[in-house]
């Protein structure tokens, strides 16, 4: 169902935002290794969110 995909996308967007904030905090403190780790996690969540958004869009289009 498209709604489930939208919910999954939203969850990954929220997780990406949290990871971005954590990355910024670590970079600000000079802990660049930990900052990069969180930035990579944010990227993964963003990519997964994008995939779920595309799937939701496809399912919405097929239900018309």
């Amino acid at each position: 169902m498209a709604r489930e995909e939208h919910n999954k996308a939203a969850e990954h967007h929220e997780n990406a935002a949290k990871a971005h904030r954590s990355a910024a905090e670590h970079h600000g403190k000079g802990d660049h290794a930990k900052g990069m780790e969180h930035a990579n996690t944010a990227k993964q969540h963003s990519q997964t969110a994008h995939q779920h958004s595309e799937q939701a869009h496809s399912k919405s289009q097929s239900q018309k």
Side-chain angles (χ1 to χ4, degrees):
M1 178 174 267
R3 183 178 177 147
E4 291 174 27
E5 293 300 328
H6 283 293
N7 288 340
K8 289 178 186 177
E11 184 177 328
H12 283 285
H13 279 297
E14 290 171 6
N15 288 337
K18 289 176 188 176
H20 276 294
R21 285 190 294 273
S22 185
E25 184 178 328
H26 285 286
H27 279 293
K29 292 179 179 178
D31 187 356
H32 299 294
K34 197 70 167 172
M36 286 301 297
E37 182 181 324
H38 286 286
N40 286 330
T41 299
K43 181 181 176 183
Q44 291 170 347
H45 281 296
S46 293
Q47 290 171 334
T48 302
H50 178 71
Q51 291 170 351
H52 284 293
S53 293
E54 286 184 335
Q55 290 172 2
H57 180 73
S58 293
K59 288 179 181 181
S60 293
Q61 293 300 314
S62 68
Q63 292 176 355
K64 288 184 177 181

